[in-house]
Amino acid sequence: MTIATQKLTFEEYLAYNDGTDTRYELVDGELVPMSLGTGKHGAIIRFLVRQFEDALAQSGQPWVPLPALVGVRSPRGRNWDTSRIPDVTVLPLAQWEAMSNREAIINFNEPPPILVVEVVSPSTKTDDYRSKRAEYGLLEISEYWIVDPIEEKITLCVLEHQLYDSTEFRGADLIQSPTFPDLNLIATQVLADKL
C-alpha cells in the first residue's frame, strides 16, 4: 500500500515526519509503509542476526549485522528516488559507525552492504523476488538472501556481473554462503517457528 501524497525527492523523504511511528520505504518517490510482519517474520530476522553475529565473532571480520536499521538508496525509477530498508543488512562496522550522526542510509557514493536479507511476507513477495533483486544487483550487493516462510525455502543470490545467480535451499539443505562460508545452517533451522 502506498501513501497518496505528492511524489517526494530523496531529501524530502529523509525529512518526512507524519507524527506517527510508521516507518516507510521510498519507492519511485512514493511512501510505502512498512508493516511489522508476523511474529515468525521477526523471529527469523532475530535468528539470522544472531547467527551472523556468532559467525563474525569466530571469523574476526569487522562487520555488523543489523535488523531493519539501515536504508539502502536504490537507482530504481526515472526521476524519483527509492530507498529500501532490508530486514537484515550486513556492513562494515566502520561504515555503520560513520552513520552515528546522520541518517542511517547507504547512499550511491558509498560502498554497498556486504549482504542483505529480505524475509518474504504475502504483501512483499513480488518486490522481494523481483524489484529488490534487480535493485540490489544494480547496487552490486554481493549476496542477497530471500527467506520465504510461505514457500519454505531460502533463495541465496550471489552477484555475478550485476546479475544474481541463485540457489534454493529447502528442508535439510545446508546453506552455502560465500560471505559466511563457515555458517553451519540448514534451511529448516532458519524457517522453523522460534516463538
Side-chain angles (χ1 to χ4, degrees):
M1 174 180 92
T2 57
I3 301 297
T5 62
Q6 64 184 29
K7 292 207 177 221
L8 301 178
T9 65
F10 182 69
E11 291 72 24
E12 290 168 334
Y13 164 70
L14 292 179
Y16 184 79
N17 182 350
D18 64 1
T20 70
D21 290 335
T22 305
R23 294 176 59 191
Y24 297 95
E25 286 186 331
L26 183 68
V27 179
D28 288 332
E30 296 179 0
L31 295 173
V32 178
M34 294 182 63
S35 64
L36 289 176
T38 64
K40 184 173 185 175
H41 188 275
I44 290 170
I45 293 168
R46 187 170 181 230
F47 177 79
L48 284 174
V49 167
R50 287 181 172 175
Q51 294 300 310
F52 293 151
E53 286 173 340
D54 290 348
L56 291 170
Q58 290 179 6
S59 73
Q61 286 283 11
W63 302 341
V64 60
L66 300 165
L69 295 174
V70 176
V72 179
R73 193 168 177 194
S74 169
R76 176 182 171 147
R78 292 188 180 119
N79 299 317
W80 300 101
D81 286 312
T82 294
S83 182
R84 301 292 191 176
I85 303 173
D87 289 321
V88 179
T89 304
V90 178
L91 67 156
L93 181 59
Q95 189 174 15
W96 171 239
E97 290 171 344
M99 296 179 196
S100 65
N101 293 316
R102 67 172 178 88
E103 294 287 340
I105 292 183
I106 297 171
N107 215 325
F108 294 134
N109 62 343
E110 298 176 90
I114 296 160
L115 179 149
V116 293
V117 177
E118 296 288 1
V119 180
V120 175
S121 61
S123 65
T124 66
K125 187 171 187 164
T126 300
D127 279 343
D128 292 340
Y129 278 102
R130 301 183 95 189
S131 303
K132 292 178 186 179
R133 182 177 172 145
E135 292 167 34
Y136 294 158
L138 286 172
L139 290 169
E140 298 185 351
I141 298 173
S142 60
E143 194 168 321
Y144 171 37
W145 291 29
I146 305 168
V147 179
D148 191 337
I150 301 162
E151 304 258 340
E152 296 185 1
K153 68 180 180 179
I154 297 163
T155 304
L156 196 144
C157 305
V158 177
L159 193 65
E160 192 66 40
H161 306 294
Q162 289 190 326
L163 295 172
Y164 284 119
D165 291 332
S166 62
T167 306
E168 288 185 2
F169 300 93
R170 296 176 181 269
D173 293 342
L174 182 66
I175 298 169
Q176 298 173 6
S177 166
T179 304
F180 290 97
D182 297 326
L183 196 64
N184 192 19
L185 277 180
I186 61 173
T188 54
Q189 287 175 290
V190 176
L191 296 165
D193 285 322
K194 296 167 194 60
L195 300 175

